[in-house]
Amino acid sequence: MPELNSLLSVSLSLCLIALCEFTPHFMAIHRTGRRILRGFSMAAGLHLLAAPLPLPLLGQDVFLIISAAGGAFILALVLSQLRKHVYARYYALSVLAIVLGAVISSLRTIGWLPVTPLTDSAFFLGAAAGSLILTSGVGRLLLEERKRRLSSDIRVQEEQKLRARIERDYDRVLKTHRVTGKPNRPMLEETLGNIDCQQTPYTLCLIRLARFNELEQALGYRTAEDLLKQYLRLLNRYLKRTLGDRLIMINGYGIATLDTVNHAFAMDRGSDPAQDRELLETVSHWLSENFREGRFSFSWAASMGVAYAPEHGTDAASVLSSAGFASLDETRPMAIYDPAIADWQYQQQILMLDVEDALRCGDMWLEYQPKVSIRDGKVRSTEALIRWQHPEFGRIPPDHWIPLAEQVGIIHSVTLWVLDQACQDFTALRQRYGDSIGVAVNISAKDVAHPLFHEEAGAITRRHGVSPDRVILEITETAAMADPEVARSAIRTLSSMGFRIALDDFGSGHSSLGNLASFPLDELKIDRSFLQDILLYPVRQKILRAALELGEALDLDVVVEGVEDEAIALWLQQFPGLHGQGYYWARPERVRAALVSPR
C-alpha cells in the first residue's frame, strides 16, 4: 500500500523531529547531546522536504536507519537519567515504545519481517503506546503539581495567619509594656494628648515603686516581675473601683507602665479640689500598705508624684515629667509638683552631668585653709578644699553637690583629681609655709571601699615626687562607720604606705570608742558643733575637754574646726598641743594667687 507507506514516512519524520526537540526541554542534557539531537532533527527535516523528489541516497531505508539511530540515542540519554527522577522512566518507556514500533516497521519495510497487520501498524501502535505512557506521566505530574499548589495554598493561608498574629503581637508590643502587659508610655501620652487640658483639666499621678530593684535582686527577676504583674492587676481594679468614671482609661486599662519601677494613672479634675485631694490620699494610703501574695508580704516603698494639667504642663510629656519630679521626693508618700523643687532637682541633675567636664575645663579649683598651732599660731598643715564656679548656676557650695556625687558614684574621680592637684600644688605650699608643711585631702566612703584606691593614691604621690607622709587623708566619721571592716582594712593599707590618716567631723557621727581605737589614725578633727556657745555653757566645755582627752589618750594630733572669733581662740590656748582651723586665722585661698601677691 504505497499511500500508507508515504504516510509512514511523513509520520516517522515528524515523530523524530518532535522527540529530538522535546527531549532537551524535558531533561537536563549537556551541550554535545543537544547538538547531536539537533543534527538528527535537521536530518529528519531534510528527508521530509526531499521525500517527494527522486534523489539518490534519500530513500526510505536511509531514513529508517537515521530514525533508528536517533531513537536509540534518545533512549540512551533517557536511560542515563532514570535514577534522577521518576518522570524520566515514563519518558524512557514512551521512547522505547516508539523506537520499538519504528524498528519493527523498518524491518518490515526492508523485508526482514513478514508483512502482517501487526508489522504494518507497528509504528502507529508504538506511537499510540508512547502517547498513553506520556499521558500517564503528564497526568501524574499534573496531580502532583495540583498537590503542590494545594500545599502552597495551605502554606499561604498559614503565612497569612502568622502575619496577622505577628501584626497583632507587634501592635501589642508597640502599645504595651513587655513585662507588665499594661499600656506603655507612648499609649499614655497618646491618650492624654487627645484630651484638651484647657477645656478638660486632669490630674496625672506617677507611682514610683522604689523597692522593685531590691526585690528583683533578692527574689530573681521572674519572681519579682510576677509579683509586680499581680500587684498592678490589684491596683488597676482598685483605681477603677475608687475613681469610677473619673479614671481616664488608657487602651482599656486604668494604669500605664513607664518602666518596671514607674507607673502612672490619670483622672479628670473635679469641681472640688478638697475632694480630689482626699481621693489621691486614699490611693496613697492603699499604696503604703503591705502587698501580700502567697508567702510574701512586703512594702513596695511606693511614692506618688502628682501633677496638674494645664498648670504643670500643657502637653502630656511635660505633665508626666512634672509628676516624675514630684515622685522623687522621698520625704512624703505623696508629693504635688513644686516648680521650685523641680528647679533644684534639675540643677542637681545638670551638676552631676557637668562634674567631669568642670574638672577638665578649669571650672573647679582648690583653695587651701591652714591648720595652725593654737599656742604659737604656726601653720602645721593645710586642707585642700574644692571650689566650683558653674557657668549657669554660679558658685556651687561643696555641700550642694558632693553628697549627690557620692550617691551617683562619680566622687572617686573627683577625689583623685583633688589629690593630684594638691600634690601638684605642694611645691607652692612649701614655698609659702615651709618644708614641714602637710596637705590634707578629703576622701569619701566610696574611695575607702574602692579596691585600687591605695594604688592610685600611691601612683599620684610618686608622679609628683611628694612623700606620702606629707599627705593627710581625711575621712569623715560617718563614712568610716558605714562599713567599719572595709574602712579599717583600707586605712591600714594606706597607713602602711606612709599616708597620714585623719578622722574628720568627730562628734557628728555615731562611732564607738572601741571602733575608734581600732583604726590606725594620726589625727582627730573635732566637729565645729562642739564650739557652739562653748563659752556660755560649762557642760559644753566639759564635753570638749573629754574629746580632747580622748585624742590625747590615743596619741593623736587634735584639730578643732570652726574657730571664727578671738575669744574662742584665746580660750583654746589653755590646751597644749591643740591645733585649730577656721576663719579666725585664715580663709581658704588659692595658693598660686597668694604667691603672686603675698600678704
Side-chain angles (χ1 to χ4, degrees), residues 292-308:
R292 294 177 175 82
E293 176 63 22
R295 63 187 181 89
F296 298 107
S297 177
F298 58 87
S299 169
W300 289 98
S303 60
M304 187 168 70
V306 180
Y308 299 123

Side-chain angles (χ1 to χ4, degrees), residues 203-224:
T203 300
L204 179 62
C205 301
L206 190 141
I207 300 170
R208 183 170 177 267
L209 305 179
R211 292 194 64 195
F212 176 79
N213 292 331
E214 174 189 340
L215 293 168
E216 187 177 37
Q217 293 177 359
L219 304 176
Y221 77 94
R222 290 189 182 277
T223 302

Side-chain angles (χ1 to χ4, degrees), residues 13-154:
S13 299
L14 292 176
C15 183
L16 180 59
I17 294 172
L19 286 174
C20 291
E21 296 298 324
F22 180 73
T23 300
H25 297 285
F26 185 80
M27 295 179 297
I29 299 175
H30 52 81
R31 182 178 299 178
T32 303
R34 288 175 179 269
R35 290 176 178 175
I36 294 174
L37 289 174
R38 183 58 53 85
F40 281 119
S41 179
M42 292 178 64
L46 291 174
H47 183 273
L48 185 63
L49 294 174
L53 303 175
L55 297 176
L57 301 177
L58 289 178
Q60 196 176 52
D61 51 351
V62 174
F63 177 71
L64 290 175
I65 295 174
I66 295 174
S67 299
F73 181 73
I74 294 173
L75 183 60
L77 290 176
V78 174
L79 292 176
S80 66
Q81 297 197 25
L82 285 180
R83 295 183 179 181
K84 293 185 179 180
H85 49 81
V86 67
Y87 297 107
R89 300 170 189 174
Y90 284 96
Y91 193 56
L93 290 175
S94 175
V95 172
L96 182 61
I98 295 173
V99 170
L100 184 61
V103 169
I104 292 174
S105 296
S106 300
L107 294 177
R108 193 273 304 166
T109 301
I110 62 178
W112 288 14
L113 290 176
V115 178
T116 65
L118 178 62
T119 57
D120 280 343
S121 305
F123 173 71
F124 299 103
L125 291 174
S131 299
L132 289 174
I133 295 171
L134 281 179
T135 302
S136 300
V138 171
R140 178 173 177 176
L141 179 64
L142 291 175
L143 181 61
E144 293 191 356
E145 180 65 23
R146 180 176 178 81
K147 289 181 180 179
R148 283 196 296 270
R149 288 187 178 183
L150 182 60
S151 178
S152 298
D153 292 340
I154 294 175

Side-chain angles (χ1 to χ4, degrees), residues 50 70 94 114 119-120 173 205 263 293 313 337 360 380 384 390 420-421 442-443 464 480 483 492 508 551 569 598:
S94 175
T119 57
D120 280 343
V173 169
C205 301
H263 313 270
E293 176 63 22
Y337 174 74
R360 289 191 299 268
R380 304 300 184 187
H390 193 274
D420 183 82
Q421 190 67 36
N442 290 279
I443 62 175
H464 293 285
D483 192 337
R492 283 176 179 170
S508 63

Side-chain angles (χ1 to χ4, degrees), residues 531-545:
L531 298 183
Q532 185 176 358
D533 298 328
I534 193 169
L535 299 180
L536 301 178
Y537 297 99
V539 174
R540 288 187 172 274
Q541 297 175 15
K542 293 179 181 180
I543 294 174
L544 178 62
R545 289 178 189 274

